[in-house]
């Protein structure tokens, strides 16, 4: 796991170079959610609801809960709210990732609180197709099965999106 994905810290994070912490086996649903999150290409996003639809199980809140507990093991900033607002308390870290990956953003108006942009969902939303060229719309479910994610890539409290589901 690179520091780029974990953002290098957070409460409960082992010191750099200490190796991955040992976590019990993830629940099957959590594994499936994280596998889909890993498929999202750089510069693209899926909503919590898109992932639930892709899996054919659960809903946005269940996906949000998985991401809150285990999301630091994957590119968590690519799993977003349907309205494109950035994850509270993680806006600046996510924004750094979005800019580095050239994720389409809509600049905030000068009157918006904090001047934090939103994700341009029409341009950034990934439909689950092969490659990074999927357009707007939900996942098709035909983009191939989720790839194998190493199970020792992190766990709760190691710098991911937080302790609460944000859907």
């Amino acid at each position: 796991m690179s520091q780029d994905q974990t953002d290098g810290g957070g409460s409960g994070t082992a010191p750099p170079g200490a190796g991955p912490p040992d976590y019990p086996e993830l629940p099957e649903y959590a594994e499936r959610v994280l596998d889909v999150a890993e498929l999202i290409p750089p510069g693209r996003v899926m909503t919590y609801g898109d992932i639930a639809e892709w899996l054919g199980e659960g809903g946005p809140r269940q996906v949000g809960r998985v991401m809150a507990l285990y999301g630091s093991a994957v590119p968590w900033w690519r799993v977003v709210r349907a309205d494109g607002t950035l994850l509270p308390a993680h806006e600046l870290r996510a924004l750094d990732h979005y800019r580095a990956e050239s994720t389409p953003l809509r600049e905030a108006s000068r009157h918006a609180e904090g001047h934090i942009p939103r994700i341009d969902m029409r341009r950034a939303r990934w439909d689950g197709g092969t490659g990074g060229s999927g357009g707007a719309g939900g996942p098709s479910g035909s983009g191939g099965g989720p790839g194998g994610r190493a199970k020792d890539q992190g766990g709760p409290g190691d710098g991911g999106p937080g302790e609460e589901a944000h859907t």
Side-chain angles (χ1 to χ4, degrees), residues 102-124:
S102 299
T103 304
L105 298 172
R106 295 180 62 189
E107 291 303 321
S109 74
R110 286 180 277 167
H111 304 295
E113 186 178 333
H115 306 286
I116 301 291
R118 290 182 179 215
I119 297 165
D120 184 339
M121 294 302 291
R122 283 187 291 161
R123 294 175 36 220

Side-chain angles (χ1 to χ4, degrees), residues 28-41 46 50-57 74 126 128-130 139-151:
E28 180 185 343
Y29 184 72
E31 281 283 343
R32 294 174 60 213
V33 168
L34 298 179
D35 285 345
V36 174
E38 279 201 322
L39 292 175
I40 305 167
M46 287 179 91
D50 289 343
I51 291 179
E53 182 182 330
W54 171 290
L55 294 173
E57 182 181 354
V74 298
W126 187 55
T130 58
S140 64
S142 61
R149 181 186 43 78
K151 292 182 182 177

